[in-house]
Amino acid sequence: MSNTPDPIVEANEERFAKRFTAWTIIGLFSVIVALVLGISSYPDLREETGLRAAIASWRIDEVTARTWMCIAGLLATTTLLVRALLTIGAPAPPAWGRRLFVVAMCAALLLAGFTHFYANRGVVNRHTIKVWDLYHYYLGPKYFDELMHNGLYDATVIAANESGYSLRPNDTIRDLDTYRLKPVSEVPDDSPHVQSFSPERWQSFKDDIVFMRWYAGSNMFGAMLRDHGYNGTPVWNFFGSTLSNRIPVSYQHLTAVTLIDVLLLATAFLAVVICFGWRACLLFAVLYCINAANRFDSVGGSFLRYTWMAALVFAVCSLKTRRYALAGAFTALAAGLNVFPIVFAGGVAIRGMAAAVRMRGIPSEYLRYAIAFMITGGVLFALSLTVGHGLDNWRSFFAQMDQHSEKLTSSRVGFVYNFVYHGEITPESPQVSYGQKELELQAMQPWLNGLILFLLALVAIVCTRLDDTRATIFFGVAGLFLLFSMVQYYWALLALLVLLWPPEPRKWGDALGQMLPFAIMTTAYTALVLTGYLKFVNNTVMSALLTAYLAFVLVYFAWQNGFLPRFKRWGRKRVEEEYASL
């Protein structure tokens, strides 16, 4: 009997898979939007009767939601393993195997997507609104003209006092100029930040603070003022200020605002479908949702917090379809919205320089990318000066970042955390302070910086042999992991890792590269369920597993592109020369 696949059967299976995947994604986001607008927008539904009240009253605890993520991750990892066993080395994978893959991955997406986008906030918590983050990233840009980056907390204390919600005199807030904690009593009533308000704007600010205080409650409201302030870039601030000053602060309005990020991410998923195909999109969507670092309860339910992610996905998709000018423009937009995505331009830059050396001239596509990047960056820079105080916007932002980005915290993931682990597995374990760990890193800095630059150079060398899309993703992810210890929710970009690999791998190396990110997230969520300790999961589990994974990708890409055989031949030649000299 022939093993040649039947073209008609192939076409039918492809049609089934596309439709099933499309309706799964459409259904998922439709349910999320319906739940947010139909249930979460009405906080008093639990006092009524009927189906809507029953849904509004449904509660699960945080451990249950995390367990659901473990199940989704295990299902996705197992499905990829089974598919690899069925397809690698087989001339015609069985039709039932393909259907099993589609149904199982869609089931994982429904469970992970519902938990990520809704259950983590609307079921575990009472509301979908993340008031802690909205306070910073809705009021921060709305009143940026008066408060800049460093005036939000002082003005909040004064507004709360005038509105009858005074904090206790011995309560502390963060001084956003020095990052030290200071007593509320040190906030002067005639703060220069308050003096910059007009009477109408000051009343508006007080009304918004009253809403935030009512929504957060007294304990959370006080704790919010010990965070690290509003840190949006001046480019992000332009968009945030434009929108927040046109949308009033109310329960219904802010609930609807939380859907902007969800819809932007849905659009990003659509872009992946168009440019990479439905299989890649399905994997991308599942990995995005089960990402243990990017839990939606961190900054989900907030305001424009994933605009940079959508722009970065659009940039990668544009590269895939060889629209270099569009890719450069979207990369500049992502970098303007959150700075760090500029590292993703490094992959194209390396490829462009390698091509220029090889061809003795820069190919036109890389010129289009660079020109579009610079023009878009220039336009965004100009727009960023129209809100606030011109160039002082950037001075204020970089002064804030100078303090903010150097801190080791429990919410960060990065290469350097591999070197400061002291066995902290649970909150009850013996603890070493972050201050002590920062001193340890300073002592290691000379050789650690050398190691990081060496590894980054290896990544850059390997990227010269990759195509532009894979070089952009690999250099971007590896570069950020090596150079920066970013806050957990910025690692949403790890979903891009699935786009490094063929949607249907025919080699075990490709299959492992595709499968391992899902195994990493499953392991991290399992650790979170077992220990309940975010510090251990972020600093240790995620950092160590990502180090191992990126090392695997580096070695595999080096071997796949001929670097390791060349190194082997070079080593053999050196040995022969040494023996000849004896």
Side-chain angles (χ1 to χ4, degrees), residues 516-548:
L516 286 175
F518 294 87
I520 288 171
M521 300 311 170
T522 306
T523 303
Y525 258 117
T526 302
L528 191 55
V529 169
L530 294 176
T531 67
Y533 198 28
L534 285 173
K535 175 182 177 180
F536 172 62
V537 172
N538 288 328
N539 295 172
T540 305
V541 177
M542 286 294 297
S543 297
L545 292 179
L546 282 175
T547 299

Side-chain angles (χ1 to χ4, degrees), residues 129 233 250 325 454 530 577:
I129 296 175
T233 70
S250 71
F454 173 72
L530 294 176
E577 289 175 351

Side-chain angles (χ1 to χ4, degrees), residues 221-244:
F221 184 73
M224 292 190 313
L225 304 186
R226 292 189 288 275
D227 202 341
H228 295 86
Y230 163 61
N231 301 304
T233 70
V235 172
W236 188 97
N237 187 72
F238 167 78
F239 295 104
S241 177
T242 301
L243 281 177
S244 60

Side-chain angles (χ1 to χ4, degrees), residues 249-295:
V249 171
S250 71
Y251 191 89
Q252 282 73 25
H253 284 107
L254 291 185
T255 301
V257 157
T258 65
L259 287 174
I260 296 176
D261 279 337
V262 175
L263 296 176
L264 277 173
L265 291 169
T267 307
F269 290 178
L270 176 62
V272 175
V273 169
I274 294 171
C275 300
F276 287 87
W278 67 266
R279 292 180 184 85
C281 176
L282 186 53
L283 296 174
F284 178 88
V286 173
L287 184 59
Y288 180 87
C289 292
I290 67 168
N291 189 337
N294 177 42
R295 297 175 307 280

Side-chain angles (χ1 to χ4, degrees), residues 338-351:
N338 228 330
V339 180
F340 68 82
I342 197 172
V343 177
F344 281 82
V348 176
I350 290 166
R351 289 276 298 151

